[in-house]
Amino acid sequence: MVRIQRRKVLASCLCMTATVFLLVTLQVVVELGKFERKTFENSNLQDGRKKLEEEPEHLNPFLQKDALSLIRKRKLEIDSYPIMLWWSPLTGETGRLGQCGADACFFTINRTYWHHPMTKAFLFYGTDFNIESLPLPRKAHHDWALFHEESPKNNYKLFHKPVITLFNYTATFSRHSHLPLTTQYLEGVEVLKSLRYLVPLQSKNNLRKRLAPLVYVQSDCDPPSDRDSYVRELMTYIEVDSYGECLRNKDLPQPLNNPASMDADGFYRIIAQYKFILAFENAVCNDYITEKFWRPLKLGVVPVYYGSPSIADWLPSNRSAILVSEFSHPRELASYIRQLDYDDRLYEAYVEWKLKGEISNQRLLATLRERKWGVQDINQDNYIDAFECMVCSKVWDNMRLQEKGLPPKKWKAEVTHLSCPEPTTFAFSSPVPLAPRRNSLREMWIPSFQQSKKEAQALRWLVDRNQNFSTQEFWGLVFKE
C-alpha cells in the first residue's frame, strides 16, 4: 500500500512537472511570437535601422534567458547566409531560408534587415516599384533585382533606359532578360498538342448558323494598344461576337461572368466553338505575349493576333495564327477571314499542326525545355522561386570570387530587358456612323508614356545622387521647365 501511495505521489509530481514545463514552453513561444510580430511591424518604418541584436525587454524574467538564447541562435544561422530583401512585399514571407541548388539564401520582406551586413540584394516587383520608398543610400555591395511580368501600362517608368539600367538582375517577359518569362502563360508542349477542347470543323460549320466567325472577349477597355478601336472598325466589315465589357453584344452564362472564370472549363467550351478569336494584347511590346495568344491555340481556335511584333518567333508553326500586322486595314483582314470561313481546305491549314501534333518551332520547343520554372506544375518551381534563386546564385558566385581575392562580376540590366515603343492609336474613317465612345483612357496613354520619360530621367538623377529624396523633390524635377 505504501509503495502504491509513493507511486501516486511520484506520478502526481511528474504530471505537475510536465504541466509546468509545457506552460513555460508555451510562454516562450508566445513571447517569441510577440517579439517577431513587433519586429515585422517595425519594418514598415522608413528608417529601417533597428538592429537584429536588439533584445526584447518585455520578456518574463523567468523566460528571458531561454528565449534570448533561441533568438541569438537564429541570428547566428541567418548570419551564415546572404540575405535577399524583398523591398516590394510580393511574397509576404517574413523570413525563409531557401535552398537554391548547392546554395542557400535567406529571403524576407522584413525591412529591419536593410542594414544587416549580410544583406546582399534588394528584390523589386515592377508594378509596386515607386519613388516614395527606395533603399537609399545604396551601398556598393547592394544589388537591385527586378521582377516584372506584367503590362507596361502598370509602370511606364521602368521601360526607359535611365530606370531599367538601375538594376543588376531582371526577370521580365523579354527574351533578353536574365530570366526570360516570355512563355509565362504556356504550361507546356502537351497543352498545345491536346485535342481535349477541339471542336471538329464540320461541327463549327454547323454552329456558324448561330455564331459569328469571330469572337472577342475583353473587359479591360481602351488600353495602350488601342485594340477596341481596331475591333470596332472590324465589326463594320464582319460579324463579331463580343462577350466582354468592351464592345459587348453577347452575354456569357451568368456563372461565367466573373473574370476569374476565364480559365473555367465552361468558358473554354464556349470559345472552342468558334473558328477564330481576336487575340489582341493590351500593349505592344516585343515578347509581351499573354494567355490571349496561347489560350486559343490550346482550344483549337485560330488566333487573329495583334500585339508583340516578335510573335512570329513564337508561333507553334508557320501557319498557326493570322497576324493583324500583315493587313493594311481591318477591311482586308475581314475579307481574308471570310475567305477562310468559306473554304474548309484553307481553314484547316491553320489547324493542321494541332491535328498532327507537330510543333515545328525549335525556338519555342527549346525555351519550354530549358526554362527553370513551371506553369501550374507542383513538381517545378514557379517563376518567382526561380527569380529568387537566380539572384541568390549570382550573389553566391560573387561571394566566392571575393573569397579568392578576385573582383566580383558586374551584372547590369540592358535596355532590351524591358523596352516598349510609345503607344499609338488607330485612325479609321468608317462608312458607318458610330455611337459616341469613351475616350478618357484611350487619350491618356500617349501623354502618360511621354511623361514617364521625364520621370525616368528624374529618378535616375536622384538615385545616382545616392541620397534619400522626397516626392516633392522628384516631381519638382519632372515638371522643371
Side-chain angles (χ1 to χ4, degrees):
M1 183 65 71
V2 174
R3 289 180 179 177
I4 292 174
Q5 289 177 342
R6 286 178 178 173
R7 288 178 180 175
K8 288 182 177 179
V9 171
L10 180 59
S12 178
C13 291
L14 288 174
C15 287
M16 290 179 63
T17 302
T19 300
V20 172
F21 177 79
L22 287 174
L23 289 173
V24 169
T25 303
L26 179 61
Q27 182 68 16
V28 170
V29 172
V30 170
E31 295 294 342
L32 280 172
K34 290 179 179 177
F35 174 60
E36 287 297 319
R37 187 160 57 251
K38 181 181 178 182
T39 301
F40 174 65
E41 290 170 353
N42 286 341
S43 69
N44 293 322
L45 297 176
Q46 291 300 317
D47 61 8
R49 290 176 172 79
K50 274 187 172 271
K51 303 295 184 179
L52 187 65
E53 291 81 357
E54 289 182 1
E55 298 177 349
E57 298 176 355
H58 64 282
L59 291 180
N60 187 313
F62 178 70
L63 304 172
Q64 191 170 10
K65 183 176 180 181
D66 290 338
L68 292 179
S69 177
L70 289 173
I71 293 169
R72 290 192 181 106
K73 181 180 179 181
R74 184 185 176 208
K75 177 185 178 302
L76 288 173
E77 290 175 350
I78 294 172
D79 284 349
S80 303
Y81 302 96
I83 297 170
M84 310 286 108
L85 177 53
W86 271 101
W87 199 251
S88 310
L90 179 65
T91 64
E93 293 178 331
T94 56
R96 173 179 61 86
L97 188 62
Q99 196 69 35
C100 299
D103 300 322
C105 290
F106 183 73
F107 299 96
T108 182
I109 65 169
N110 191 334
R111 292 190 180 183
T112 61
Y113 291 99
W114 180 357
H115 297 288
H116 193 286
M118 286 302 289
T119 296
K120 302 294 183 180
F122 292 83
L123 313 184
F124 298 88
Y125 180 47
T127 299
D128 295 334
F129 181 84
N130 60 73
I131 56 93
E132 296 176 0
S133 173
L134 291 175
L136 297 173
R138 181 179 180 179
K139 297 180 181 178
H141 65 279
H142 283 170
D143 288 338
W144 284 13
L146 175 68
F147 178 89
H148 191 52
E149 88 291 20
E150 293 191 339
S151 170
K153 71 174 189 170
N154 290 25
N155 200 337
Y156 267 135
K157 287 190 295 294
L158 298 169
F159 289 76
H160 302 292
K161 182 177 180 180
V163 174
I164 187 60
T165 52
L166 285 172
F167 299 96
N168 302 96
Y169 317 111
T170 61
T172 76
F173 53 73
S174 170
R175 75 184 78 180
H176 302 294
S177 70
H178 295 119
L179 184 71
L181 305 175
T182 315
T183 57
Q184 61 182 302
Y185 292 98
L186 179 58
E187 295 91 335
V189 173
E190 293 310 311
V191 297
L192 290 176
K193 295 181 178 180
S194 173
L195 303 179
R196 177 182 175 185
Y197 293 99
L198 182 70
V199 175
L201 180 55
Q202 190 57 48
S203 297
K204 290 192 177 188
N205 284 336
N206 292 332
L207 287 164
R208 280 282 289 107
K209 297 173 184 177
R210 61 180 179 84
L211 298 179
L214 278 161
V215 63
Y216 184 56
V217 189
Q218 292 299 334
S219 292
D220 178 15
C221 306
D222 294 319
S225 65
D226 199 27
R227 61 189 174 198
D228 293 339
S229 294
Y230 191 99
V231 176
R232 185 182 289 105
E233 180 73 10
L234 182 66
M235 284 176 161
T236 65
Y237 301 101
I238 193 170
E239 187 182 1
V240 177
D241 285 346
S242 182
Y243 289 97
E245 292 298 319
C246 313
L247 308 176
R248 181 169 63 188
N249 58 22
K250 205 173 183 70
D251 293 325
L252 287 167
Q254 187 60 37
L256 298 177
N257 278 333
N258 191 322
S261 66
M262 296 287 279
D263 285 316
D265 182 80
F267 178 75
Y268 281 5
R269 298 289 178 186
I270 291 174
I271 300 304
Q273 298 177 102
Y274 287 86
K275 287 186 174 182
F276 308 91
I277 185 170
L278 293 169
F280 283 38
E281 305 289 6
N282 63 27
V284 176
C285 303
N286 278 333
D287 298 339
Y288 178 60
I289 305 167
T290 70
E291 77 288 346
K292 297 172 188 63
F293 175 71
W294 302 116
R295 183 188 290 132
L297 294 176
K298 292 190 288 185
L299 302 181
V301 181
V302 177
V304 179
Y305 184 81
Y306 177 71
S308 170
S310 59
I311 191 63
D313 291 344
W314 303 102
L315 298 178
S317 74
N318 289 335
R319 182 161 291 192
S320 51
I322 298 169
L323 306 184
V324 172
S325 60
E326 295 180 352
F327 299 86
S328 61
H329 192 277
R331 183 191 311 106
E332 293 183 7
L333 175 61
S335 176
Y336 185 68
I337 291 173
R338 277 198 300 270
Q339 183 182 1
L340 297 183
D341 184 28
Y342 297 146
D343 191 323
D344 289 352
R345 181 182 58 83
L346 292 178
Y347 178 83
E348 284 183 325
Y350 280 90
V351 293
E352 183 179 7
W353 68 273
K354 189 173 184 70
L355 294 171
K356 293 183 177 179
E358 296 177 352
I359 297 177
S360 57
N361 188 336
Q362 295 305 309
R363 178 196 299 276
L364 176 61
L365 292 171
T367 298
L368 292 173
R369 183 173 60 250
E370 296 168 5
R371 70 185 185 185
K372 298 178 180 179
W373 43 273
V375 179
Q376 299 178 12
D377 186 349
I378 60 174
N379 297 314
Q380 289 184 285
D381 287 342
N382 60 48
Y383 49 31
I384 296 177
D385 294 331
F387 168 67
E388 289 182 334
C389 279
M390 174 193 70
V391 179
C392 174
S393 297
K394 292 187 183 303
V395 166
W396 267 108
D397 288 345
N398 276 340
M399 288 172 60
R400 283 188 278 266
L401 286 173
Q402 289 177 307
E403 287 175 359
K404 296 177 182 179
L406 300 173
K409 184 175 181 179
K410 297 292 184 182
W411 292 90
K412 187 178 180 181
E414 303 293 339
V415 175
T416 54
H417 290 205
L418 203 60
S419 178
C420 294
E422 182 174 306
T424 58
T425 57
F426 293 103
F428 300 117
S429 177
S430 176
V432 179
L434 299 174
R437 58 195 235 229
R438 180 179 61 185
N439 286 325
S440 57
L441 274 177
R442 180 175 182 261
E443 295 173 353
M444 176 188 77
W445 297 114
I446 294 177
S448 177
F449 185 89
Q450 292 172 343
Q451 179 177 305
S452 70
K453 292 181 181 179
K454 298 178 181 179
E455 293 177 13
Q457 293 169 348
L459 182 60
R460 183 57 187 246
W461 187 87
L462 290 168
V463 173
D464 283 347
R465 189 186 65 175
N466 211 22
Q467 297 176 17
N468 285 315
F469 59 89
S470 65
T471 55
Q472 291 83 358
E473 189 174 7
F474 170 77
W475 291 113
L477 284 174
V478 171
F479 294 109
K480 183 178 181 181
E481 293 297 334

